[in-house]
Amino acid sequence: MRLLALLVLIAACGEPETEAPPREPDPLAGWEHGPDGLRYKVIHPGKPGTHPSPGQYARVHFTGTLPNGRVFEDTRKRGQSFEFMVGAGQMIVGWDVGIPLMTVGSRYRFFVPWKIGYGVQGSKGVPGKTDLTYDIELLDLRDGVKIPPFPDAVPERQRNTPSGLVYEVA
């Protein structure tokens, strides 16, 4: 009987509860969610109604920072702004999806996951698979080329190559 009572007592006690380790605070808490995993924070709003469109040239000042805090590019320190065509693939995908969120005169901070940054290969000064933070100020826009919207897919006209590429025959 004593043995049975002891076994019941041991079973009732069970394993001691272990406390979950404290969670690190999310450094991106309060940041907005953008397309493709982009996160952003509005530092300074700009002029309403002046969002960049694909094909326009955007002139910006920016600072690019690695996760360890090292700055890998800073146009302000160079004293020279940077211009590129929006949506033309001249920049990383993170910029092509992030810059159109901005307006002229605005300043945003972007968190760019490596998959929409420099990818697996990296770039000069940026190792592969590295998330990046950019502080970008949209200085102005100028007209470029009108990029028409991509047409909707027509499954009946699609063909597949052995490598998996899908294309349409017009």
Side-chain angles (χ1 to χ4, degrees), residues 117-154:
Y118 289 106
V120 174
Q121 74 280 358
S123 183
K124 55 184 173 183
V126 179
K129 292 188 175 182
T130 301
D131 299 332
L132 303 170
T133 303
Y134 285 96
D135 181 312
I136 302 176
E137 180 181 7
L138 180 57
L139 301 172
D140 62 30
L141 297 170
R142 69 179 177 88
D143 289 336
V145 297
K146 189 75 172 165
I147 298 177
F150 202 77
D152 291 334
V154 181

Side-chain angles (χ1 to χ4, degrees), residues 31-139:
W31 289 45
E32 301 292 327
H33 292 266
D36 300 326
L38 180 79
R39 301 283 298 271
Y40 66 96
K41 186 177 201 175
V42 179
I43 305 302
H44 177 75
K47 183 178 174 188
T50 59
H51 293 279
S53 299
Q56 282 187 306
Y57 287 95
R59 191 169 62 86
V60 300
H61 265 308
F62 75 92
T63 304
T65 309
L66 299 173
N68 64 7
R70 186 174 69 79
V71 172
F72 63 89
E73 183 73 47
D74 188 341
T75 61
R76 290 176 188 90
K77 277 191 180 175
R78 263 196 338 234
Q80 185 177 0
S81 60
F82 178 75
E83 186 175 84
F84 69 100
M85 185 182 287
V86 177
Q90 294 179 345
M91 299 302 296
I92 58 174
V93 172
W95 277 41
D96 275 344
V97 299
I99 298 295
L101 301 171
M102 300 179 74
T103 56
V104 173
S106 67
R107 188 168 179 171
Y108 280 39
R109 188 154 298 133
F110 290 107
F111 170 79
V112 179
W114 67 267
K115 289 183 179 181
I116 61 170
Y118 289 106
V120 174
Q121 74 280 358
S123 183
K124 55 184 173 183
V126 179
K129 292 188 175 182
T130 301
D131 299 332
L132 303 170
T133 303
Y134 285 96
D135 181 312
I136 302 176
E137 180 181 7
L138 180 57
L139 301 172

